[in-house]
Amino acid sequence: MPTTRIGCGAGFAGDRIEPAEDLLRRAGLADLVLECLGERTISLAQQRRLADQDAGYDRRLPARFERLLPLAVETACGARRISRTAMKA
């Protein structure tokens, strides 16, 4: 039976992103899951939404994706021996 490695972490407001980056770089993961729906995160998002209807999301979310997605793609490509050039084709 093949092994599937899944990394988990908290992703609520104020969490550090470095542990997730470390997991992607060194753990040989198939998947990474960040739990982002803690009560603190939801209440902060609700406060932002009450002040501005277009602001009911974690402002750090785009930056988190910008930091983690390239590592995830690089890791997945390396594990499957796929070149990044081939992925763009």
Side-chain angles (χ1 to χ4, degrees):
M1 177 180 291
T3 300
T4 300
R5 297 177 60 93
I6 301 171
C8 299
F12 66 90
D15 256 1
R16 297 178 320 123
I17 198 70
E18 293 83 7
E21 290 175 318
D22 191 44
L23 281 172
L24 285 171
R25 283 190 185 104
R26 302 190 312 146
L29 300 179
D31 296 288
L32 176 66
V33 178
L34 299 176
E35 181 277 312
C36 299
L37 293 177
E39 291 81 4
R40 181 171 181 253
T41 303
I42 292 172
S43 64
L44 290 172
Q46 180 64 13
Q47 287 176 337
R48 283 190 300 273
R49 192 170 139 252
L50 289 172
D52 178 359
Q53 287 295 315
D54 296 327
Y57 65 93
D58 188 341
R59 294 179 304 243
R60 287 174 285 241
L61 188 60
R64 289 178 184 272
F65 278 116
E66 288 171 6
R67 286 178 69 173
L68 294 177
L69 285 177
L71 287 172
V73 169
E74 183 178 311
T75 301
C77 289
R80 294 181 180 96
R81 293 184 175 88
I82 301 170
S83 72
R84 292 187 86 161
T85 305
M87 285 192 62
K88 292 179 184 178

